[in-house]
Amino acid sequence: MNLKTLLEKKNMSMYRLSQLSGVPRTTVIDICSGKSSIEGCNAITVYRLSQALGCKMEDLMKTATAKYDRRTGLPKDKSYLEKGLPPYLEKSLNAMKRSWKIEDSGKPDIHWDVHWCELYADINSAENEQSISKKQADYLRCKYLKTEKNND
């Protein structure tokens, strides 16, 4: 359940929640639309919203926990592991994405093996230079090179 669903259950508008809580209307709208997340709010904002909704802060925070792994606390969407990559790795990653798109459409890409090798080398290089973490390297290998994670 998200904040928008909770508002619908309580038959309350975003505008009314803003009035009752003292939280800016734009903040409430951003949270309900998914542009911002409740996890990104400070404790005062979460407290004010929970008071206006008549629930505990913890209950309000649970509205967003479906996006996170309960065991690790990390986002289930692992795309954050693609952030902050060195430019040379971004370049070879984009080339591999284009190549996979061609291959997945059923057409052969005569440069697929070149892009695969370049990306493999760039991931290894970035990991060895410590420009990316082992976790990022493993994620990129699995997702874009379609290899299995090495559990050494």
Side-chain angles (χ1 to χ4, degrees):
M1 177 186 333
N2 58 29
L3 181 59
K4 190 173 183 178
T5 306
L6 187 59
L7 284 173
E8 289 170 1
K9 275 185 156 185
K10 299 218 175 242
N11 199 23
M12 186 184 296
S13 70
M14 291 182 268
Y15 178 74
R16 183 70 179 144
L17 177 60
S18 173
Q19 285 182 319
L20 291 173
S21 66
V23 172
R25 186 168 38 106
T26 54
T27 301
V28 174
I29 291 168
D30 286 351
I31 294 169
C32 288
S33 70
K35 184 176 179 184
S36 297
S37 66
I38 196 75
E39 299 94 347
C41 294
N42 64 37
I44 294 169
T45 300
V46 176
Y47 175 77
R48 288 179 179 169
L49 291 172
S50 66
Q51 291 297 300
L53 290 165
C55 64
K56 296 178 185 175
M57 290 175 66
E58 293 84 4
D59 295 335
L60 190 55
M61 293 301 290
K62 285 180 187 174
T63 62
T65 57
K67 297 178 185 175
Y68 295 89
D69 185 309
R70 288 179 177 241
R71 190 178 48 80
T72 65
L74 295 171
K76 288 181 180 176
D77 176 12
K78 302 291 184 198
S79 63
Y80 69 93
L81 294 168
E82 296 181 42
K83 306 291 186 219
L85 303 176
Y88 68 90
L89 181 53
E90 278 284 345
K91 185 178 175 185
S92 60
L93 183 62
N94 289 332
M96 189 76 242
K97 287 178 186 178
R98 287 189 300 273
S99 192
W100 275 118
K101 190 173 185 177
I102 293 168
E103 287 284 325
D104 290 343
S105 74
K107 299 175 187 170
D109 181 4
I110 61 171
H111 299 292
W112 179 89
D113 57 339
V114 173
H115 297 305
W116 193 97
C117 290
E118 283 180 359
L119 181 57
Y120 184 79
D122 287 346
I123 291 170
N124 290 342
S125 178
E127 184 181 14
N128 287 334
E129 293 170 354
Q130 297 182 345
S131 299
I132 63 172
S133 67
K134 178 172 178 14
K135 187 172 189 166
Q136 281 178 294
D138 288 342
Y139 169 81
L140 294 172
R141 285 184 197 107
C142 287
K143 183 171 181 181
Y144 295 106
L145 300 176
K146 301 189 180 184
T147 62
E148 295 296 318
K149 183 180 170 191
N150 186 359
N151 291 322
D152 296 2

